[in-house]
Amino acid sequence: MAVEEEGLRVFQSVRIKIGEAKNLPSYPGPNKMRDCYCTVNLDQEEVFRTKIVEKSLCPFYGEDFYCEIPRSFRHLSFYIFDRDVFRRDSIIGKVAIQKEDLQKYHNRDTWFQLQHVDADSEVQGKVHLELRLSEVITDTGVVCHKLAARILECQGLPIVNGQCDPYATVTLAGPFRSEAKKTKVRKKTNNPQFDEVFYFEVTRPCSYSKKSHFDFEEEDVDKLEIRVDLWNASNLKFGDEFLGELRIPLKVLRQSSPHEAWYFLQPRDNGSKSLKPDDLGSLRLNVVYTEDHVFSSDYYRPLRDLLLKSADVEPVSASAAHILGEVCREKQEAAIPLVRLLLHYGRVVPFISAIASAEVKRTQDPNTIFRGNSLASKCIDETMKLAGMHYLHVTLKPTIEEICQSHRCCEIDPVKLRDGENLESNMESLRHYVDRVFTVITKSGVSCPTVMCDIFFSLREAAAKRFQDDLDVRYTAVSSFIFLRFFAPAILSPNLFQLTPHHTDPQTSRTLTLISKTIQTLGSLSKSKSASFKESYMATFYEFFNEQKYADAVKNFLDLISSSGRRDPKSVEQPILLKEGFMIKRAQGRKRFGMKNFKKRWFRLTNHEFTYQKSKGDQPLCSIPIENILAVERLEEESFRMKNMFQVIQPERALYIQASNCVEAKDWIDILTKVSQCNQARLTVFHPSAYLNGHWLCCRASSDTAAGCTPCTGGLPANIQLDIDGDRETERIYSLFNLYMGKLEKMQEACGSKSVYDGPEQEEYATFLIDDPQETYKTLKQVIAGVGALEQEHAQYRRDKFKKTRYGSQEHPIGDKSFQNYIRQQSEISTHSI
């Protein structure tokens, strides 16, 4: 979800690898071990939770998490919890990274010291405040100066233990005085509207004729401050919870009166830092935070057109897309946005065919075909991840789930056998699992996505043409991807491919490792299979699979996925599970006298229907055919005073649903919108609030069938597998070209050197693949011009934004460090320009 900023869309995303924790404090009991898990939080809103690692003070998680961030945030936080069976789980410590510091740790494995957590440091949200100093003439005719402190509203306060009933205290404080006043409690909202004014006497009464309007005693004002504290009214015996504070010295009124601004709430330093930082242990993380500023499509046309015609450039090494792979530090860095852009515009197959064919021509040994980390290999990997994820799930998920649930021991290394385990029994169990996985893979050819099959067809043809004497190369060229880089990694680490919610336990992980090794070898069709294993026990186990039927099955499967016209148009598509999980729904009013209360239900979405039931596996209580979904939109919080709500609008009613957090809400809205995008009866307008007490809360219309009052949000691509924004991907490619501009210029020099000098290459130019210097130079010139034009647009946008933005506005409250850094950078740029 993008944030709109005057003709520009801003996207935020984060990719996190949670590695391990070490040296956690021991449990104060005889056992000393802990059962720990880690959460990922945007400020204080939990968006992800790892598995629980039992009985360890150095838990290994090995989990990846990616999400699009749908709102502004100040901190990306990680909390380590210790599970408690009888009481609430306790927090051991946290890592909190400020948004403006995320680039410091970009894509680097970093150990962070865990910090102590106390309620006074856990704050989020902002406050809108107005201060006004004025003269008041008393009944006796003397003048005193009074301060009016108006607290208007707050936004984004944290929800504490499932509820938020906030109130504020406003205090005028100085060396010799402290006067406090309190607002009313606002129930069940984390965006309270207060609009209350409090009056404080600032100076001693004085003669009206003696002093001018604001000529008050300096020592009073310089030492006075207004303090606003936010609290959550709690019924618990421990008292109200502190939500944050702000302190404003009254001398700000010297600059302007009245003073009106938004402020970020700040933590309260109560001096309770008794533990040293290293007392709590540390956590290893790898964080990649990305912020894309995307213009309208026209701005990207020159660079986009240059990239899209890459497949037609002769030689392909002179194309813009191939040049991107040459200048990026890692090929993967270039492959991700390239593949997404080319998939979006239907150009990925011809481009991959061209670069794969060029790579095959450079390969001397058929046994090493596509074994390196080339641009072609990385592009095919990325295409399989994008286009093949549902295929992978449909093929492997049921069998992987069965293996995880059965917990059968399959250890076949005699050295690792535990007491009471039987080698023959373990070997039989492992053989059974390998057979199951092998069968579901080799029988799945008809389900392989078309784009993958077209790529495999081109690989097969290029390899067979290059190595005509090797009859197996047409198979190994394809199997090196489908088995080695697609199925085998998914079996080895199912959590990375969303086949399991978390990293598997050690015993299951060992079983999956053995299955993955065997499947990888079966798919490779190598001449001496047993010799390909380093371990003698694996070579012994593989003897079970030396029958010709396994090789025949692999070849039949590879023939099917790399041939044209393989599909049966009469085949009936099976429902594909797209998403499932618990959410809270409001009764739809299908029963005339039924109560419209809220209940927790298990929701399940396939490409055929959207259903909910009491628990996973139960019979559906309600089923909504996809063709009956007319719109999926957010529901304003004021409707039920509940966050993260959305509505699924049907012909006769709307289903109101609350997701567990903002990321989950966005995911459900996006996928429901995508799957229903092609419905002919989709609405163009909707009601952003609920119909309650005989009228719509948004427009006050009394009829429950009244037409909507707000335009529906923009549609998304109908293809459920490929939700791609072409402009966003072009912006990412521009950012990469801009980042590596020095290498682009060096490559230009290399082209010039090659054109006029035929001798040995200079060492600094040897890293570039340049087949045609003149054609490559021509493309480089166009790329640099296109990138330069976009950079000018971004620079102009930053200058315009700098002029228009006010520090203390709702978008950039006082205390916004990232905006303070931005102001400093722009000031430096302006000074440098002058």
Side-chain angles (χ1 to χ4, degrees), residues 303 306 320 323 327 734 737-738 740-749 776-792:
L303 182 59
L306 202 58
I323 288 170
V327 297
Y734 146 75
F737 274 135
N738 203 33
Y740 294 110
M741 181 57 72
K743 282 194 174 183
L744 286 172
E745 292 167 349
K746 188 70 72 178
M747 198 170 180
Q748 269 191 320
E749 293 174 18
T776 305
Y777 186 89
K778 186 172 115 183
T779 306
L780 280 163
K781 190 175 179 181
Q782 292 173 301
V783 167
I784 291 171
V787 170
L790 279 169
E791 176 55 27
Q792 287 182 0

Side-chain angles (χ1 to χ4, degrees), residues 126-129 150-155 157 191-196 230 261-263 810:
K126 52 191 176 183
V127 182
H128 191 192
L129 192 71
R150 181 185 180 196
I151 179 165
L152 291 100
E153 61 178 311
C154 298
Q155 287 187 355
L157 299 179
N191 297 316
Q193 301 283 329
F194 291 110
D195 202 7
E196 295 188 40
L230 267 294
W262 283 84
Y263 285 83
Q810 186 174 356

Side-chain angles (χ1 to χ4, degrees), residues 272-302:
S272 62
K273 295 182 180 178
S274 57
L275 292 177
K276 298 178 183 177
D278 55 354
D279 285 347
L280 300 176
S282 53
L283 179 65
R284 180 166 59 86
L285 300 168
N286 186 304
V287 179
V288 177
Y289 170 73
T290 306
E291 193 171 292
D292 299 317
H293 294 77
V294 183
F295 291 110
S296 61
S297 194
D298 287 345
Y299 287 87
Y300 298 103
R301 182 173 289 117

Side-chain angles (χ1 to χ4, degrees), residues 493-507:
S493 304
N495 60 305
L496 300 183
F497 294 81
Q498 292 82 53
L499 294 170
T500 58
H502 298 298
H503 198 78
T504 52
D505 62 83
Q507 180 175 300

Side-chain angles (χ1 to χ4, degrees), residues 369-511:
I369 195 166
F370 298 122
R371 291 301 169 95
N373 288 323
S374 63
L375 182 62
S377 296
K378 291 301 181 183
C379 283
I380 297 170
D381 288 349
E382 193 60 30
T383 304
M384 291 192 299
K385 280 182 193 173
L386 283 168
M389 194 57 75
H390 286 296
Y391 167 50
L392 191 69
H393 281 217
V394 169
T395 304
L396 287 183
K397 194 169 185 179
T399 309
I400 296 293
E401 285 180 343
E402 182 189 326
I403 293 169
C404 293
Q405 291 165 7
S406 66
H407 280 284
R408 285 161 68 178
C409 181
C410 296
E411 183 55 71
I412 58 172
D413 183 355
V415 178
K416 295 182 179 179
L417 282 179
R418 291 177 293 194
D419 291 342
E421 291 181 349
N422 182 277
L423 183 62
E424 286 74 22
S425 174
N426 288 1
M427 203 170 279
E428 185 56 40
S429 296
L430 183 60
R431 180 182 176 181
H432 168 73
Y433 283 147
V434 170
D435 264 326
R436 284 281 307 278
V437 173
F438 180 80
T439 301
V440 295
I441 290 174
T442 53
K443 296 288 186 186
S444 69
V446 74
S447 303
C448 187
T450 306
V451 68
M452 287 171 61
C453 294
D454 291 342
I455 290 170
F456 295 150
F457 176 75
S458 65
L459 298 182
R460 175 192 180 110
E461 293 296 300
K465 187 176 178 181
R466 173 74 174 86
F467 301 103
Q468 296 180 15
D469 296 334
D470 191 325
L471 298 179
D472 282 335
V473 74
R474 68 188 65 203
Y475 295 114
T476 54
V478 178
S479 68
S480 62
F481 287 103
I482 194 70
F483 281 102
L484 187 66
R485 295 171 178 260
F486 187 64
F487 284 122
I491 296 166
L492 183 66
S493 304
N495 60 305
L496 300 183
F497 294 81
Q498 292 82 53
L499 294 170
T500 58
H502 298 298
H503 198 78
T504 52
D505 62 83
Q507 180 175 300
T508 305
S509 182
R510 175 63 177 164
T511 299

